């Protein structure tokens, strides 16, 4: 682990919007995350940076992520998660055999991805030390560094739902129910907007 107690995550993803969203989400979750577009950029980044977790796409512009992972024996001590559109059973088996600790088929909720990372780090003895505090009475979220973020009722409801099962992925339907809505009628894009605004609010307050 690094001296600042933050697990470091490298995201290798060629889709710019997705890569930036993942990096931003992990950073707001208390990790030190960076993102690169392809395999060559990942190799260059690794020359000067240490890291704990690799989040790898497979269909990259400069090569096949799976073949690359199979050739990287230096990653055996890293936590590796594959995030890809490839969904066949043979692809999953090949990913696990190549050393991946988890094989996620897109689209993947960022909350689920972060929960998996936290669980794998904890099992590896690299659990995060920074703690965020949620105050259900004052409707506030306090960062590990002490900054306080005022929450709306909707934001508080979602975070309370997530905080009720720490380290566990919460299904989207359950989050919708926490908002007092029906999963059959609720537009999931509304939740994405809520989380995006919340991440932006927290980022601004803790900058």
């Amino acid at each position: 682990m690094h001296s600042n107690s933050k697990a470091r995550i490298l995201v290798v993803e060629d889709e710019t919007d997705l890569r930036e969203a993942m990096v931003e989400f992990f950073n707001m979750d208390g990790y030190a995350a960076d993102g690169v577009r392809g395999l060559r950029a990942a190799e260059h980044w690794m020359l000067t940076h240490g890291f704990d977790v690799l989040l790898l796409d497979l269909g990259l512009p400069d090569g096949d992520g799976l073949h690359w992972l199979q050739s990287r024996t230096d990653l055996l001590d890293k936590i590796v998660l594959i995030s890809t559109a490839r969904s066949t059973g043979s692809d999953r088996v090949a990913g696990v055999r190549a050393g991946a600790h988890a094989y996620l088929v897109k689209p993947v909720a960022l909350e689920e991805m972060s929960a998996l990372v936290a669980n794998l780090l904890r099992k590896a003895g690299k659990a995060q030390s920074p703690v965020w505090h949620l105050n259900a009475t004052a409707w506030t979220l306090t960062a590990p560094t002490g900054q306080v973020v005022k929450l709306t009722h909707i934001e508080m409801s979602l975070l309370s739902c997530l905080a009720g099962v720490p380290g566990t992925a919460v299904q989207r339907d359950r989050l919708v129910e926490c908002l007092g809505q029906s999963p059959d009628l609720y537009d999931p894009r509304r939740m994405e907007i809520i989380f995006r605004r919340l991440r932006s609010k927290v980022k601004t307050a803790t900058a």
Side-chain angles (χ1 to χ4, degrees), residues 122-140:
R122 184 164 49 250
K123 291 177 180 178
K126 300 179 180 181
Q128 291 290 97
S129 57
V131 176
W132 293 73
H133 294 280
L134 187 64
N135 188 320
T137 302
W139 289 9
T140 58

Side-chain angles (χ1 to χ4, degrees), residues 143-176:
T145 49
Q147 294 99 327
V148 178
V149 182
K150 185 66 177 178
L151 303 172
T152 65
H153 179 268
I154 290 177
E155 293 166 347
M156 187 68 218
S157 297
L158 288 174
L159 290 180
S160 295
C161 190
L162 294 170
V165 284
T168 302
V170 180
Q171 296 298 317
R172 189 184 300 272
D173 284 357
R174 175 55 186 152
L175 291 174
V176 172

Side-chain angles (χ1 to χ4, degrees), residues 1 22-23 37 43 45 70 83 117:
M1 291 292 291
M22 291 164 67
V23 169
R37 183 174 183 271
E43 291 173 352
W45 187 92
Q70 291 169 336
S83 175
V117 169

Side-chain angles (χ1 to χ4, degrees), residues 28-87:
M28 291 180 57
D29 246 8
Y31 300 99
D34 290 280
V36 295
R37 183 174 183 271
L39 299 176
R40 301 291 83 78
E43 291 173 352
H44 181 75
W45 187 92
M46 291 176 187
L47 291 176
T48 55
H49 298 81
F51 66 101
D52 307 290
V53 179
L54 174 67
L55 214 156
L56 178 67
D57 187 14
L58 297 186
L60 296 164
D62 56 353
D64 185 285
L66 180 59
H67 294 162
W68 179 81
L69 180 60
Q70 291 169 336
S71 69
R72 301 287 304 208
T73 57
D74 57 317
L75 298 178
L76 294 177
D77 64 332
K78 308 299 182 184
I79 293 173
V80 179
L81 288 80
I82 289 175
S83 175
T84 179
R86 301 179 190 174
S87 59

